[in-house]
């Protein structure tokens, strides 16, 4: 299959300016032989324009964009949407009225790929032009379902406009091979204007026997520290309030270019606003690659601009199964990661993943997994059944009976749902960062420093702001709170943006009493200086998680930002909301002073008169 450079005819510059000639060497629909004699290019262009009853000017069409999978895929979709929008295309979540469908796929689990197959079949039946992107075509390019379909590889997203344009003309284009990473400064349309998903590397160093993603994303390739810091500064200037670092394995960052994760994190933290208005969330990391950096990572997680939250997949509580998975760590090493971070970081919360029914898993192996979950009572666990992925070593292993796999998944889910991670949070005062709207269209969604999901009532103008709230009630998946104070750039907590040596000496996290500060020792933060409860919402699972808490998140169109008000009006509306709903200490003092003055005056008049 030719690359797109091989698909253009003419090439001599004879075409009218801005007009792309029809492809005569395209592979797929309406192809012609390469050795066909070329007509005069000007006559060809003129003929096409005269017979343009079905011709549409490129950039005037509507593109339906559907994304499956992890946050890295979501970031890729946002980059593709940004480029298409910059060229005039309209991005829509409505498939029916679209001129072309663009599907960004995930290969982690069979259900995701089955959903992709269903969409492709529907698209074919409706005779819509189709472009498939993401991990499925990159890792399984010879799939029968992809025959006759245009394809964009995971490292070719910066050329999506070319592929879409040619597909709309009836040509099949496939771009899969590349040696360099896409630039980070491409146009981007974020699904949530306040959240930047920042890929720091692609691929990984592992070779897990069940994983298909490695086939698609390949070996580790890291972006430079300077390019990532530059992107952070740019998105902060755009008004982003949360930055999610995303990759297939965050902990492995930089090992291919001579740096490491702590070096990157310290550089990013130094670039964040000193008023704590923008928060950093560190992405998923496997245990082997952070064991040697635990203390440095703990120092960074203590910083007020970094959520005290980390996703560390364990996958199984059995060393025998971890060996079969080729996970390259033991349960003892996983425990060391969890125990160290929990000890050194106040309010530290860790999410994890479990695969039930991996080939060879015995009842004893599964019991070890259940006991591990019971012991740590993780507030966030992504539980999935084993799905054999074609081409992986695990697909050739002897499988556990499907009914046994389902029963184990149900049992572990029941154990996890028996926990009450937020009990005891009622009445606590926390700082939150508000970035989204709940599906009920009434509550706003914010997160504490421990990334606990908090639902508050208030106007949409509060989106993108930070606030002090009092927790009024708790649920299984989130907590509810009342807003006490909206923090602006003038009353945000000031924090340093120095190197890691100063981080551990400052506030570790917003305490229940805003006048208190969290004192950290040189190597460990005092575990009792802040009382932040368990985390809840988490959106960086390898596939769409089944966590009901995520149902509270509003599904927003990438072409319609959820808020369009300016920051000045946000602060005005927010201040008005708090004033209308809460009787502050200053108000009480003023009224009390006026009342006492009146009493004093009356007493003086009575005394003089007598």
């Amino acid at each position: 299959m030719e690359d797109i450079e091989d698909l253009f005819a003419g090439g001599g510059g004879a075409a009218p300016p801005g007009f792309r000639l029809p492809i005569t060497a395209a592979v797929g629909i309406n192809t012609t032989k390469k050795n066909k004699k070329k007509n005069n290019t000007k006559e060809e262009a003129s003929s096409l324009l005269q017979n343009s009853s079905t011709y549409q000017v490129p950039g005037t069409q509507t593109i339906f964009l559907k994304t499956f999978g992890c946050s890295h895929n979501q970031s890729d979709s946002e980059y593709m949407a940004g480029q298409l929008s910059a060229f005039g295309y309209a991005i829509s979540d409505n498939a029916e009225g679209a001129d072309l469908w663009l599907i960004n796929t995930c290969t982690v689990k069979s259900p995701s790929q089955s959903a992709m197959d269903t969409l492709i079949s529907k698209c074919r039946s409706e005779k819509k032009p189709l472009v498939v992107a993401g991990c499925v075509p990159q890792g399984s390019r010879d799939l029968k379902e992809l025959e006759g379909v245009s394809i964009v590889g995971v490292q070719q997203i910066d050329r999506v406009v070319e592929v879409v344009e040619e597909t709309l003309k009836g040509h099949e284009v496939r771009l899969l091979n590349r040696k360099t990473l896409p630039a980070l400064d491409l146009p981007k349309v974020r699904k949530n204007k306040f959240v930047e998903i920042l890929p720091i590397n692609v691929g990984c160093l592992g070779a897990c026997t069940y994983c298909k993603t490695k086939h698609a994303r390949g070996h580790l390739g890291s972006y430079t520290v300077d390019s990532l810091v530059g992107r952070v500064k740019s998105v902060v200037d755009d008004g982003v309030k949360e930055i999610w670092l995303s990759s297939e394995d965050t902990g492995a960052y930089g090992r291919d270019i001579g740096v490491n994760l702590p070096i990157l994190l310290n550089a990013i933290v130094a670039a964040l606003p000193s008023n704590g208005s923008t928060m950093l969330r560190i992405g998923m990391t496997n245990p082997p690659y952070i064991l040697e950096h635990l203390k440095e990572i703990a120092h960074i997680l203590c910083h007020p601009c970094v959520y005290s939250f980390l996703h560390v997949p364990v996958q199984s509580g059995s060393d025998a199964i971890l060996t079969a998975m080729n996970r390259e760590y033991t349960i003892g090493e996983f425990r060391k990661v969890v125990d160290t971070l929990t000890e050194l970081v106040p309010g530290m919360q860790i999410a994890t993943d479990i695969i039930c029914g991996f080939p060879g898993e015995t009842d004893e192996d599964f019991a070890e997994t259940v006991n591990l979950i019971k012991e740590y009572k993780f507030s966030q666990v992504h539980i999935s059944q084993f799905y054999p992925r074609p081409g992986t070593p695990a697909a050739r292993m002897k499988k556990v009976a499907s009914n046994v796999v389902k029963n184990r998944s149900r049992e572990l889910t029941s154990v996890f749902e028996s926990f009450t991670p937020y009990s005891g949070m009622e009445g606590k005062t926390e700082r939150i960062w508000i970035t989204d709207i709940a599906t009920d269209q009434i509550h706003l969604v914010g997160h504490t420093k421990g990334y606990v999901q908090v639902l508050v009532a208030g106007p949409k103008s509060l989106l993108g702001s930070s606030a002090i709230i009092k927790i009024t009630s708790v649920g299984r998946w989130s907590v509810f709170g009342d807003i006490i104070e909206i923090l602006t750039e003038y009353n945000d907590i000031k924090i340093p943006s120095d190197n890691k040596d100063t981080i551990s000496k400052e506030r570790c996290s917003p305490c229940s009493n805003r006048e208190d500060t969290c004192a950290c020792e040189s190597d460990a933060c005092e575990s009792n200086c802040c009382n932040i409860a368990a985390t809840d919402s988490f959106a960086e699972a390898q596939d769409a998680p089944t966590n009901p808490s995520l149902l509270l998140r509003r599904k927003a169109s990438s072409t319609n930002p959820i808020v369009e008000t300016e920051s000045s009006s946000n602060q005005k509306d927010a201040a008005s909301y708090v004033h209308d709903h809460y009787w502050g200490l200053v108000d009480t003092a003023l009224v009390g002073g006026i009342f006492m003055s009146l009493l004093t005056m009356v007493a003086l008049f009575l005394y003089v008169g007598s």
Side-chain angles (χ1 to χ4, degrees), residues 14 63 84 90 108 148 255 258 280 312 372 382 414 490 523:
I63 311 298
L84 290 166
V108 171
R255 290 172 180 257
L280 179 69
V312 186
L372 182 74
H382 303 113
S414 179
Y490 303 107
D523 290 331

Side-chain angles (χ1 to χ4, degrees), residues 37-296:
K37 186 176 180 181
K38 295 184 178 73
N39 295 323
N40 181 278
T41 54
K42 289 185 178 180
E43 293 178 0
E44 189 178 50
S46 176
S47 175
L48 180 64
L49 290 174
Q50 291 173 2
N51 298 282
S52 58
S53 58
T54 59
Y55 176 77
Q56 286 184 301
V57 177
T60 62
Q61 294 85 358
T62 298
I63 311 298
F64 165 62
L65 176 57
K66 175 67 176 178
T67 305
F68 294 96
C70 64
S71 62
H72 198 159
N73 259 23
Q74 181 61 49
S75 177
D76 287 350
S77 289
E78 291 175 354
Y79 273 125
M80 289 190 286
Q83 293 170 88
L84 290 166
S85 296
F87 274 81
Y89 292 96
I91 309 300
S92 173
D93 58 1
N94 179 18
E96 302 303 322
D99 299 295
L100 177 143
W101 290 14
L102 172 56
I103 304 173
N104 195 2
T105 61
C106 173
T107 190
V108 171
K109 299 179 183 178
S110 298
S112 296
Q113 190 159 332
S114 296
M116 177 207 74
D117 295 341
T118 301
L119 265 183
I120 290 176
S121 297
K122 184 177 180 181
C123 189
R124 291 183 191 276
S125 66
E126 296 187 13
K127 298 182 180 179
K128 298 273 190 177
L130 173 64
V131 176
V132 178
C135 293
V136 171
Q138 188 74 61
S140 306
R141 60 186 69 186
D142 296 325
L143 281 177
K144 183 179 179 181
E145 290 79 5
L146 299 177
E147 291 180 1
V149 173
S150 289
I151 289 175
V152 181
V154 295
Q155 292 188 26
Q156 296 277 19
I157 59 172
D158 54 350
R159 303 180 66 185
V160 66
V161 174
E162 300 169 69
V163 177
V164 164
E165 187 173 312
E166 298 305 324
T167 304
L168 285 167
K169 294 177 181 178
H171 303 125
E172 176 192 347
V173 181
R174 295 194 168 201
L175 294 180
L176 291 169
N177 300 319
R178 187 175 187 167
K179 296 180 180 179
T180 58
L181 299 176
L184 292 172
D185 58 355
L186 296 169
K188 196 172 192 180
V189 175
R190 301 182 191 92
K191 185 176 181 180
N192 184 329
K193 66 179 290 187
F194 298 109
V195 177
E196 166 74 5
I197 304 172
L198 179 60
I200 63 173
N201 56 261
V202 300
C204 67
L205 295 174
C208 300
T209 56
Y210 57 84
C211 183
K212 187 73 173 176
T213 304
K214 180 67 176 280
H215 295 188
R217 296 284 182 177
H219 199 66
L220 181 68
S222 303
Y223 286 96
T224 65
V225 172
D226 289 343
S227 65
L228 291 165
V229 171
R231 180 67 182 178
V232 167
K233 293 178 179 178
S234 175
V235 300
V236 168
D237 291 341
D238 286 343
V240 162
K241 300 303 180 184
E242 282 188 7
I243 298 173
W244 299 356
L245 302 186
S246 178
S247 76
E248 283 63 59
D249 188 354
T250 302
Y253 168 80
R255 290 172 180 257
D256 57 320
I257 57 174
V259 293
N260 57 40
L261 182 61
I263 290 174
L264 173 66
L265 295 179
N266 280 303
I268 289 177
V269 166
L272 294 176
S274 60
N275 60 8
S277 59
T278 301
M279 294 294 288
L280 179 69
R281 195 185 81 177
I282 303 174
M284 184 274 289
T285 179
N286 288 311
Y289 305 113
I290 60 169
L291 279 168
E292 62 189 87
H293 302 304
L294 283 178
K295 289 186 178 181
E296 295 105 311

Side-chain angles (χ1 to χ4, degrees), residues 25 41 81 182 208 293 301 439 454 576:
T41 54
C208 300
H293 302 304
L301 289 166
T439 52
V454 182
S576 174

Side-chain angles (χ1 to χ4, degrees), residues 598-608:
L598 290 174
L599 286 179
T600 303
M601 292 174 63
V602 170
L604 284 172
F605 280 122
L606 291 176
Y607 176 76
V608 172

